[in-house]
Amino acid sequence: MSDDPDLEDLKAQTSQGDRLDSAASEMERQDLVEDIVHELEAIEAGKQQKTVSVWDGQLAAFIRALEDNPEHLDAVGHGLQEELDIEDSDIDRSAILRLALRVGFQEAAPEQFEAVREAVRKQATKGL
């Protein structure tokens, strides 16, 4: 313990703030998980589509070129699978896009993307 009361007071305020910030962050994360579960249920019920669309000419050209060059398509697909530490069977346009989005989200927003995994686990165990 320090003999400086101001220092001790500052430490107490800081540690309390960290706990409060952490609790608020966890509540926001759980809200995101619940929203994802809600969307998964809507997809399962046929109320929402499973598809995601993007408008990007450069990506469209890249994907079409990969489809015209299966060896490159496979190389990109397997590289994405390795990055995610998964083994998926077939590599096609859909797999490439799905895997690339997952890698991007995992890299750029790992905490939020973990909410997807948690939501999937939560939805899977709901009916048990």
Side-chain angles (χ1 to χ4, degrees), residues 67-110:
E67 288 181 304
D68 290 341
N69 296 278
E71 68 280 1
H72 292 293
L73 183 79
D74 286 342
V76 170
H78 293 300
L80 291 166
Q81 287 175 338
E82 285 178 26
E83 189 67 31
L84 292 167
D85 196 27
I86 61 171
E87 281 190 38
D88 211 354
S89 53
D90 296 326
I91 300 294
D92 59 11
R93 167 195 283 255
S94 180
I96 292 286
L97 293 170
R98 183 180 65 249
L99 293 168
L101 280 171
R102 289 177 184 214
V103 167
F105 286 131
Q106 181 175 286
E107 290 296 315

Side-chain angles (χ1 to χ4, degrees), residues 56-68:
D56 188 307
Q58 294 173 357
L59 283 177
F62 177 56
I63 295 299
R64 286 189 198 107
L66 288 177
E67 288 181 304
D68 290 341

Side-chain angles (χ1 to χ4, degrees), residues 1 15 25 44 103 106 118 127:
M1 280 258 169
S15 65
S25 178
E44 194 173 276
V103 167
Q106 181 175 286
E118 188 176 332

Side-chain angles (χ1 to χ4, degrees), residues 15-36:
S15 65
Q16 179 67 19
D18 289 346
R19 283 192 296 261
L20 292 175
D21 291 345
S22 178
S25 178
E26 181 58 27
M27 285 179 56
E28 288 173 4
R29 187 174 177 295
Q30 287 308 310
D31 288 345
L32 179 59
V33 169
E34 289 303 319
D35 288 346
I36 295 168

Side-chain angles (χ1 to χ4, degrees), residues 100-128:
L101 280 171
R102 289 177 184 214
V103 167
F105 286 131
Q106 181 175 286
E107 290 296 315
E111 288 180 30
Q112 290 84 357
F113 193 64
E114 182 58 34
V116 175
R117 292 183 184 104
E118 188 176 332
V120 168
R121 286 189 299 268
K122 193 171 195 171
Q123 185 202 21
T125 59
K126 259 188 174 181
L128 299 180

Side-chain angles (χ1 to χ4, degrees), residues 38-59:
H38 175 74
E39 292 298 326
L40 287 168
E41 290 169 347
I43 290 169
E44 194 173 276
K47 296 177 183 175
Q48 291 286 353
Q49 292 184 344
K50 291 173 99 170
T51 59
V52 175
S53 300
V54 295
W55 293 86
D56 188 307
Q58 294 173 357
L59 283 177

